[in-house]
Amino acid sequence: MTSGGKQEAEDASRPVPPARETLILTGNHAASFAVKAARVQVISAYPITPQSPVVEKLSEFVEDGELKARMIRVESEQSAMASLISASTTGTRVFTATSSHGLSYMHEQLAWAAGTRLPVVMCIVTRAIGAPWSVWPDHQDAVSERDTGWIQIFCEDNQEIYDTVLEAYKIAEDERVYLPVAVCYDGYILSHTLMPVELMSQAEVDKFLPPFKSHLMLAMSMDDPVGVNPVTVPEPREGFPAYMELRHRMQKALEGAAAVMEEVEAEFAKVSGRHHGGAVRSYRLDDAEVALVGMGSCSSQAKVAIDDLRAAGIKAGVLTVRLFRPFPKRQIREVLKGKKVVAVFDRDVAYGLEGALCAETKASLYGIPDPPYVHGFIVGIGGRDFTTENAIEGTRLAVERSRNREIHDETTWLNLMEGE
Amino acid sequence: MITRPDDLPEEELLLSGTRSCAGCSMSLMYRTAIKALGKNTIITVPASCLTVLHGLYHKQSVLVNVIHTTFETTAASASGIVAALEALGLDEKITVVGFAGDGGTSDIGIQGLSGAAERNTNFIYACYDNEMYSNTGTQRSGQTPYMAYTTTTPHGKLEHKKNIPMIMLAHNIPYIATTCASYPLDVFNKFTRAKQFKGTRYIHVLAPCPPGWGYPTHESIEIGKLAVRTGIFPLYEIIDGKMFLSKESEPYLDPRKRLPVADYLKKQGRFKHITQQHIDTYQEYVNGQWDFISKML
Amino acid sequence: MVNSRDPKSTIAAVQHPTVGEAGKTGTWRTFRPVIDENKCILVTSPKARCHTCWMFCPEGNISKTRPPRVNYDYCKGCGICAQSCPHDAIAMRKEEDEP
Ligand SMILES: Cc1ncc(C[n+]2csc(CCOP(=O)(O)OP(=O)(O)O)c2C)c(N)n1
Ligand code: SF4
Ligand code: SF4
Ligand code: SF4
């Protein structure tokens, strides 16, 4: 199925690989292959478990000459993101990956990247945040960064990681968006698990993803110098926007990003034959009365419970939230309206409130007639197993509480040790 | 190397009417430095007085490309610019410069600076040293000298300055220089020389600050010169590990030629409260510093 | 099209070079430097070189001309030029005293 692109013609002396290849890859390596295919120009990263293999693989690609990129082996995650902000501003496509404390350490830079409206792409290999130390998966790291202005997409398998990284560049570099994108996937559960991943041919990727462009390309306009990110003041001056207007434009871009993501997915589907559902993905929801809601590994586990739930007489299906930021309120409302019960499984806690996904799902349903009851469950924190039994248990509890019209202000945690 | 004021290029890349204080020597050294760097430069600047000098959105007071970065990330930001230029094949054409204050350099930014220098990132890092956090209202920094008043050392700082050029020397970088805003020709020559090297180059510029140091605006040049003539701030270059004393500082290798430190300290409000004992301690410190330098030469 | 010069379409804080970014900073002045052309070496001795005042002005408010001229729109009156003139050709005059 090769279209014989320019790149392939140039490499005619080399043995031509089959146009598409299916490799057995970990989630981390699936990300690395996508970054290579995207012809990223600058990579800057710092090691942390479970992200490290993404960058180790990329180092091999770069040192073997398979990827013509500059690799900055920075001394911290803060520097990783700071260097990419400037590399992107200078005019290059950039990539990093991190987890947990590395992500927290980037916090200030995340806000800076978004505020500069830079199409930076990062993988967040999700992991718990200390204290105490835990290298195991949950979503606390990614979820804690939800207010920085990044687009956040959660993946459920390794193919989706590969595809989403490619889509992420296309979304980020869309003029209507110009925002950084985080591709999030569960540490170990995906990052270190082998799965078959179909890689696109380079010609296909090049066609889907044209060379980098952005609103800031400083190196290309040396004769028209500018300053990026100076001090702003509270009120507009001489008709120019002030900080508040610029932040308003950022929010507007986020509000429109879900639609762009859906467009990009449709285009990607045409090339690849794969479509991941856009902002949200439904599994056996059409006839369902009960919806289990989750992101990443939570939704995978929820799906496994559906047969048992249905066998037990609970007509259940799963809503996978892929796009966590911008939060797809409309899509969620459309899918969940008419359902009776919603059980949200959060692998994170908006501490002092409840699971972040649960709170936001509730907020999305506000104001619709006859909204479903929404009950949240905290699961799988710090790598604790989130089992099929837990999913069933939570769903049953949700159904029961809905029947009794109970409202629980306190959180319910599943699979805690006995007596806790 | 230029030797006379009118040898300096006429073209101004710093545009009149900036936001910096009257008599700001940082402004002077920046004006001079960018004359040496030229238009094909991308400068990255962290939070500092220099951010303010560049002006409020949507106007800018310089004719070069500037990327404002967060307080601690000057060297990381520069590393990103360098990598991007290398990826684009423009690294030979465009000079990358990180320009930060003393706080942004020696305190919060030292990790990033050390990392970038260890990677021998191809850029110039310039620290203008006004010996305090001026932008936030003159608090103590790691570069604040012994006994100087700042708002967080109301009775004078108890420790001496951190010797950043020597820390940079430990990174084995090809070029290190100290200079002072009061000597524009030296500033120009050292930035010009730095441009000729590849790898990490570090320039430390002493930049007297009238409101922060407590002296009248017209004395900015005089104060900086006194810092050199008392031997408090020696001017030198270190090229591939070898130190060369600059001609402005050469005479002061001889302790008899050095002016007493009190001549410098007594002109500044920030040292108003010091006693003879402090002056003696200061003098001893300066003498010790020169003993060290004489061994390095 | 995103264009940083266009207030409507710009999406990030991008600044563009302008003289007088902070406005007419000449209004900050209490003393103004006045060059006495009878003392300036560039006038008194046509072959001489100098421009020390031009070199030292923190933001280039003196022209590199013969004789040098002060740009009073932006001169902040710091007095550095007067202090550094080797021929004592620049005097700082209180603003009110000057016509
Ligand atoms: C992470 C962080 N901490 C603190 C600040 C506040 N801050 C801004 S500028 C500054 C001081 C800058 O001092 P220095 O680097 O010496 O430059 P100067 O202002 O003296 O020119 C501080 C503390 C900040 N912007 N970011
Ligand atoms: S506070 Fe000092 S360093 Fe800052 S602008 Fe004023 S004079 Fe310059
Ligand atoms: S040195 Fe000071 S007083 Fe003289 S022209 Fe420049 S700003 Fe004005
Ligand atoms: S410094 Fe004095 S003598 Fe020299 S050019 Fe300026 S005014 Fe004339």
Side-chain angles (χ1 to χ4, degrees), chain B residues 62 85 98 138 160 215 217:
Chain B
V62 296
L85 293 177
T138 65
H160 290 287
Y215 65 82
T217 56

Side-chain angles (χ1 to χ4, degrees), chain C residues 1 14 16 19 22 30-31 34 51 53 55 78 80 83 97:
Chain C
M1 259 293 273
V14 177
H16 294 271
V19 175
T30 15
F31 290 90
V34 179
H51 287 117
C53 53
M55 173 176 80
C78 69
I80 286 178
Q83 196 74 12
D97 300 349

Side-chain angles (χ1 to χ4, degrees), chain A residues 70 72-76 78-79 82-83 86-87 92 105 108-109 112 222 225-229 231 237-238 240-241, chain B residues 41 55-60 63-68 70 72-73 76-77 79-81 83-84 86 94 111-112 119:
Chain A
R70 300 298 305 178
I72 319 176
R73 282 92 175 173
V74 277
E75 77 302 325
S76 75
Q78 184 185 53
S79 289
S83 59
S86 290
T92 52
Y105 194 30
E108 181 195 34
Q109 306 307 316
W112 200 263
M222 291 303 290
V226 295
V228 181
N229 287 327
V231 179
R237 295 199 309 155
E238 298 172 16
F240 274 82
Chain B
T41 305
L56 302 183
Y57 175 66
H58 54 284
K59 296 176 180 171
Q60 149 159 311
L63 277 171
V64 279
N65 273 306
V66 177
I67 299 179
H68 294 279
T70 52
E72 65 286 359
T73 46
S77 167
S79 302
I81 304 168
E86 285 168 353
I94 300 172
Q111 171 183 313
R119 297 188 298 272

Side-chain angles (χ1 to χ4, degrees), chain B residues 47-49 71-72 101-104 108 128 130 132-136:
Chain B
S48 60
C49 276
F71 190 22
E72 65 286 359
D102 48 289
I108 200 166
Y128 68 91
N130 55 25
M132 49 180 60
Y133 297 162
S134 293
N135 185 236
T136 38

Side-chain angles (χ1 to χ4, degrees), chain B residues 183 185-186 190 228-229 235 245-252:
Chain B
Y183 301 88
L185 298 173
D186 191 56
K190 284 174 176 164
V228 173
R229 290 177 181 160
L235 306 190
L245 213 48
S246 305
K247 76 168 190 322
E248 290 77 4
S249 278
E250 247 167 28
Y252 312 114

Side-chain angles (χ1 to χ4, degrees), chain B residues 78-111:
Chain B
S79 302
I81 304 168
V82 169
L85 293 177
E86 285 168 353
L88 296 167
L90 292 169
D91 51 313
E92 297 282 336
K93 290 206 189 99
I94 300 172
T95 308
V96 180
V97 182
F99 235 117
D102 48 289
T105 301
S106 57
D107 300 338
I108 200 166
I110 195 168
Q111 171 183 313

